[in-house]
Amino acid sequence: MHKIMISAGEASGDLNGARVAEALRQLEPDIRLFGMGGKAMQAAGVEIVYDIADLGVMGLVEVVKSLPKLFALRDRLAGVMDQERPDVLVVIDYPGFNTRLAKAAKARGIPIVYYISPSAWAWGKGRAKEIAGLVSRIAAIFPFEAEVYREAGANVTFVGHPLLDIVQPAMSKQEAYAHFGADPARPVLLLMPGSRRQEIEKLLPVMLAASEKILREVPDCQFFLPIASTISREMLQNKIEQYRVPVQLTTDNTYDLMHIADGAIAASGTATLEAALMQVPTVIIYKTAALTAFLARFLVKIPHIGLPNIVAGRRIVPELLQNDANPENIARETLAILGQEKCQKRVRQDLTEVRNKLGQTGAVGRVAGVILEVAEEARDEK
């Protein structure tokens, strides 16, 4: 029986960790899985030694402020490694913390598989070399990511993107309209402010202020906001009540909701790629601390921050960052999407291209195979 430790630090990582756990159990039913995660991983049979509900830190400045807490958490999980001696540590996304945890694992002779690895293609080759020297294997989800890490000397397996397997509606459009109580004759706009408290604080108010402007131009617009598992309904409701926008909160069937959406306003992140795969024209926005944004201008090596634009290699959906992510700009870009059929058609064609670049289905099964392969290699070396 193998013992696998998994570390995921936010809602999307928790979901990806859960899918990896399920795939591992299919390959080895009696496998022992434990680590840091949330409700999804726990439901998939992972013993949670630290619940991620209190996490959600990102950005250079924000991470620095939280360093004492993160170092204490790293030491706590390192203690779990000492006690359990896992065959492999699987780290999923959340690079600021997981890189530190991987260093602790390497110091203990525990092999590491990085799944959804740090965006070295955005931050430069130095980041890639650091990770390459740290991990046993990288399970790459983007073809350009695999190339950058191979050049840095890492052992890389391109597994394809996991969203290809899961981003698909379970209902017909007619069923989805009925399920969400939406009117097919009226536009549907999604608000997706992110899965971190910090994102909700910075992004939801400008989304709602923009929505007030949109509502004046399109008075029959219907607004929906899918709730991330890491965010409380009460927190969202308190902010929504400060604006004159009728927003319906939803907790399930998000891809069915996307299936009937005419557009979306979304925080930069995984949700923008999910929307792309569902062919939802999206206005991508982001705000972070002023110093973080200033430093990023010098450190980030790519022209776009939105995943659909990065994958396409050009800007196919709007991006509004920092001060540009204001209610006036967001409303203008969103109204252009909602009001122009030609624009919608062109964007949907471009989003089909994004899907085609993300590889083949079956990514999570390939990740599970990589993890067990590394586990066996480690046992053979002992």
Side-chain angles (χ1 to χ4, degrees):
M1 178 185 73
H2 289 106
K3 291 199 296 185
I4 310 295
M5 183 171 177
I6 303 174
S7 174
E10 52 196 341
S12 60
D14 182 38
L15 289 173
N16 283 306
R19 291 171 191 130
V20 169
E22 289 164 0
L24 283 167
R25 287 203 181 282
Q26 285 181 351
L27 294 174
E28 189 179 311
D30 62 345
I31 197 167
R32 173 128 186 268
L33 303 171
F34 57 92
M36 179 173 82
K39 293 177 183 176
M41 283 171 56
Q42 187 173 37
V46 180
E47 178 191 337
I48 301 299
V49 298
Y50 183 85
D51 194 304
I52 63 171
D54 293 333
L55 293 176
V57 179
M58 70 172 299
L60 300 172
V61 175
E62 296 84 353
V63 167
V64 169
K65 287 180 181 177
S66 299
L67 278 177
K69 178 181 176 181
L70 293 174
F71 279 127
L73 177 55
R74 179 205 59 187
D75 292 344
R76 177 175 169 180
L77 294 179
V80 173
M81 288 184 219
D82 290 333
Q83 183 178 345
E84 299 288 351
R85 299 304 301 176
D87 296 305
V88 177
L89 169 67
V90 180
V91 286
I92 301 174
D93 202 0
Y94 209 59
F97 177 82
N98 273 333
T99 301
R100 294 184 180 90
L101 187 64
K103 288 177 181 176
K106 187 174 178 67
R108 289 161 172 77
I110 297 168
I112 303 125
V113 173
Y114 215 131
Y115 176 45
I116 310 179
S117 51
S119 306
W121 36 272
W123 293 90
K125 294 181 179 178
R127 188 81 174 270
K129 286 183 179 177
E130 178 192 8
I131 300 300
L134 195 57
V135 305
S136 305
R137 191 82 64 89
I138 287 174
I141 61 174
F142 296 111
F144 50 82
E145 171 193 24
E147 185 179 339
V148 167
Y149 276 109
R150 280 198 192 100
E151 288 178 0
N155 188 346
V156 182
T157 302
F158 173 55
V159 295
H161 205 289
L163 290 180
L164 290 171
D165 287 295
I166 58 173
V167 178
Q168 42 193 285
M171 307 175 187
S172 68
K173 282 195 173 186
Q174 185 177 0
E175 289 170 334
Y177 279 116
H179 178 81
F180 292 105
D183 184 347
R186 298 163 53 200
V188 171
L189 183 67
L190 306 190
L191 305 181
M192 298 189 288
S195 61
R196 306 175 179 97
R197 293 177 188 176
Q198 173 189 327
E199 291 173 322
I200 303 299
E201 295 288 348
K202 288 184 179 293
L203 300 180
L204 185 54
V206 292
M207 285 187 180
L208 292 168
S211 297
E212 287 184 333
K213 295 179 181 297
I214 292 164
L215 200 56
R216 285 198 287 270
E217 298 293 326
V218 188
D220 62 344
C221 191
Q222 303 170 96
F223 297 86
F224 290 84
L225 194 161
I227 305 174
S229 63
T230 48
I231 301 297
S232 75
R233 175 182 286 266
E234 183 182 13
M235 180 186 185
L236 296 171
Q237 201 67 58
N238 287 342
K239 294 197 177 296
I240 290 168
E241 287 172 359
Q242 298 174 39
Y243 297 84
R244 288 169 294 184
V245 184
V247 179
Q248 183 173 327
L249 298 175
T250 67
T251 55
D252 63 351
N253 297 88
T254 299
Y255 301 137
D256 294 299
L257 182 59
M258 289 181 176
H259 196 35
I260 60 172
D262 296 285
I265 307 169
S268 180
T270 304
T272 65
L273 198 56
E274 292 174 314
L277 292 175
M278 288 301 301
Q279 295 198 313
V280 181
T282 302
V283 177
I284 298 172
I285 70 170
Y286 213 75
K287 285 176 176 283
T288 188
L291 180 56
T292 298
F294 176 78
L295 294 172
R297 289 192 190 102
F298 296 96
L299 298 173
V300 176
K301 308 295 183 183
I302 54 174
H304 310 297
I305 67 145
L307 284 170
N309 293 335
I310 293 169
V311 174
R314 65 185 193 281
R315 183 166 296 201
I316 60 175
V317 294
E319 296 181 359
L320 297 170
L321 313 178
Q322 297 302 103
N323 292 336
D324 289 336
N326 58 56
E328 292 74 23
N329 288 345
I330 296 168
R332 186 186 67 251
E333 295 286 3
T334 307
L335 288 167
I337 287 172
L338 294 178
Q340 298 179 20
E341 192 174 327
K342 282 185 179 178
C343 173
Q344 283 212 357
K345 185 177 179 182
R346 175 185 55 77
V347 173
R348 292 182 199 277
Q349 287 173 343
D350 289 337
L351 295 177
T352 299
E353 177 189 332
V354 170
R355 171 181 279 275
N356 293 338
K357 286 187 173 182
L358 291 177
Q360 304 296 317
T361 57
V364 175
R366 287 188 283 274
V367 174
V370 165
I371 292 166
L372 292 179
E373 187 180 314
V374 172
E376 278 304 305
E377 289 171 357
R379 284 193 174 182
D380 290 343
E381 290 173 4
K382 286 180 181 178

